[in-house]
Amino acid sequence: MRYQQLATDRSQFRKARLVIELRHIEKTFRPGKETVTAVKDVSLAIGDGEIFGIIGFSGAGKSTLVRCINLLERPTSGEVIIDGTNLTKLSAKELRAARKRIGMIFQQFNLFSQRSVAANVRYPLEIEGTPKAEAARRVTELLRLVELEDKADAYPAQLSGGQKQRVAIARALASNPSIILCDEATSALDPLTTHSILELLRKLNQQLGVTIVVITHEMRVIEQICSKVAVMSDGQVVEHGSVRDVFLRPQSETARRLIHPTPQTGLSAAAPVNTLRLAFTGEESGAPVISDLTVQCNAMVSILSANTENIGGRPFGQMLIEMPDNKAAQRRICDYLDARGIVYERGDEGSGRMPSPVDEA
Ligand SMILES: Nc1ncnc2c1ncn2[C@@H]1O[C@H](COP(=O)(O)OP(=O)(O)O)[C@@H](O)[C@H]1O
Ligand SMILES: [Mg+2]
């Protein structure tokens, strides 16, 4: 654990160079008489080679914010600094060049249905005027990278959702971007396909060093590949930090609601004091916690919901459990969890607030 922490700190130091800096971004729309402020004074700094997540519920302003990064949406005020260049100050021509460094993929894939897979991927190269032979070589290389070599001549309609997104990723990579923006890129995909697309993004991040910004409303997406996360609500960033910190000790109401296993069983204002949310980060011992806890504490607990996975024999994810009413048993359970360093939150009596274990200590 200590060593791991050290390694993370060192890699953060190495990656200290900022690729994306958003300074006081504000974006208002005026669809009718009224003004809608979609993004309110957002400042974020994203380091080179990071996989950075932006999470929030629908309407929080995520898409608007991410479109401000490549100036698809021009901020009403604020600055967008990419690789040290202030995009808001560039001429149209300079901006077109700068945008080549930023690829983007979407929930709906946005492929050209009349073009084959290879022709979709080749499209940005045609725009750039890349010589034919070189473009063909590059397309083959990109399709190999996303594991779709055998689909070069297929058309989008013949592909599954996951395959379509792979084509979109290959196309986004064609102009060698240093940044890829993903706006709900896996939201139309089933869980297994989501997993494989996220693994592909992680591979591209590691092999090509590309910085990735992931917009999502799903915490499991953030957990799987992001190192840092910003939580958005009502146009603002209400919380940001390492995924681990936000996942273990969410500070904002929005983060709590996003993290809870299911809305029905998540701790809420009305949650009884005897519910606990356990968070596993894969660092705990592989012992099956609940059965061991039942024996060690001589207390029955019910699992209300769980979305834990076993990764390398260690639990990862979270679980909502209900403890018996007996106060002494509850204390034994909390002592057991404390002793094993398992992070948990407790439903608070009436107040609707969940004290973190730190508050309680
Ligand atoms: N082009 C637009 N015109 C008017 N309002 C918009 C426009 N784009 C977004 N909005 C509004 O801005 C808010 C944030 O939207 P959006 O960025 O799409 O959020 P998210 O991606 O988090 O769901 C919403 O209230 C939305 O209706
Ligand atoms: Mg959106």
Side-chain angles (χ1 to χ4, degrees):
M1 160 72 202
R2 288 255 162 73
Y3 289 115
Q4 237 174 34
Q5 192 64 48
L6 199 65
T8 314
D9 291 348
R10 278 206 191 123
S11 73
Q12 276 170 359
F13 183 69
R14 207 171 45 233
K15 289 174 183 164
R17 196 178 75 85
L18 295 179
V19 183
I20 303 173
E21 286 178 80
L22 303 179
R23 296 186 188 153
H24 305 291
I25 299 294
E26 195 101 5
K27 178 68 188 179
T28 57
F29 294 105
R30 206 180 270 278
K33 263 183 259 155
E34 278 171 40
T35 305
V36 179
T37 307
V39 176
K40 299 173 189 163
D41 192 19
V42 168
S43 297
L44 281 179
I46 301 178
D48 190 12
E50 256 171 26
I51 305 185
F52 192 100
I54 300 175
I55 190 168
F57 291 103
S58 182
K62 307 180 297 293
S63 293
T64 305
L65 181 67
V66 82
R67 289 161 63 83
C68 284
I69 295 178
N70 56 8
L71 255 56
L72 275 181
E73 239 20 297
R74 197 167 267 277
T76 310
S77 61
E79 296 181 322
V80 180
I81 320 276
I82 304 292
D83 275 328
T85 303
N86 187 339
L87 295 198
T88 52
K89 300 261 193 290
L90 298 183
S91 68
K93 190 174 167 219
E94 289 167 330
L95 181 58
R96 270 199 301 278
R99 277 205 185 118
K100 281 189 196 151
R101 309 289 296 148
I102 311 176
M104 191 162 186
I105 57 172
F106 306 87
Q107 177 171 355
Q108 318 81 339
F109 321 121
N110 296 3
L111 298 179
F112 301 110
S113 58
Q114 305 302 324
R115 284 179 157 242
S116 68
V117 164
N120 263 282
V121 178
R122 195 168 57 233
Y123 181 77
L125 300 170
E126 287 171 10
I127 300 290
E128 282 175 34
T130 309
K132 271 212 168 80
E134 193 188 326
R137 194 167 39 76
R138 182 95 180 103
V139 169
T140 307
E141 186 183 297
L142 287 162
L143 287 179
R144 193 177 313 125
L145 198 60
V146 300
E147 293 162 29
L148 275 186
E149 302 107 299
D150 55 333
K151 296 288 182 198
D153 300 324
Y155 282 81
Q158 298 169 300
L159 304 180
S160 69
Q163 290 170 333
K164 284 182 200 166
Q165 198 56 294
R166 283 171 190 268
V167 177
I169 291 171
R171 187 179 61 184
L173 288 171
S175 43
N176 255 321
S178 55
I179 299 168
I180 295 194
L181 309 175
C182 312
D183 191 354
E184 302 277 5
T186 57
S187 298
L189 305 175
D190 64 70
L192 260 178
T193 310
T194 293
H195 196 274
S196 77
I197 292 294
L198 294 177
E199 284 311 306
L200 172 62
L201 291 173
R202 190 211 301 277
K203 177 179 96 170
L204 300 173
N205 167 259
Q206 285 170 354
Q207 287 186 1
L208 312 175
V210 59
T211 303
I212 300 181
V213 181
V214 174
I215 300 290
T216 181
H217 62 280
E218 293 179 296
M219 192 60 196
R220 66 192 167 100
V221 168
I222 302 283
E223 282 165 34
Q224 191 181 329
I225 58 165
C226 298
S227 51
K228 299 234 181 94
V229 64
V231 181
M232 277 191 87
S233 171
D234 193 23
Q236 289 172 305
V237 169
V238 291
E239 178 167 356
H240 68 100
S242 77
V243 170
R244 190 176 181 282
D245 287 349
V246 173
F247 177 70
L248 292 180
R249 298 191 177 88
Q251 302 296 314
S252 61
E253 183 57 31
T254 304
R256 284 184 186 131
R257 280 170 56 213
L258 286 161
I259 287 168
H260 289 146
T262 60
Q264 296 88 334
T265 54
L267 297 177
S268 66
V273 69
N274 55 355
T275 52
L276 291 183
R277 181 179 76 90
L278 314 186
F280 301 101
T281 57
E283 288 162 12
E284 300 80 5
S285 87
V289 173
I290 297 303
S291 56
D292 189 48
L293 176 153
T294 311
V295 175
Q296 301 281 336
C297 306
N298 185 27
M300 288 302 292
V301 299
S302 320
I303 299 175
L304 298 177
S305 70
N307 60 353
T308 54
E309 270 181 77
N310 250 304
I311 299 171
R314 287 162 190 274
F316 189 94
Q318 56 186 330
M319 197 183 277
L320 201 65
I321 64 169
E322 187 172 24
M323 301 186 287
D325 287 334
N326 181 312
K327 289 274 183 287
Q330 291 183 4
R331 163 105 347 244
R332 288 199 299 277
I333 290 168
C334 292
D335 287 348
Y336 172 95
L337 296 170
D338 287 338
R340 275 152 192 83
I342 295 167
V343 178
Y344 59 93
E345 287 186 311
R346 218 179 148 138
D348 198 6
E349 252 162 343
S351 76
R353 188 172 169 275
M354 286 176 299
S356 72
V358 183
D359 292 344
E360 282 180 334

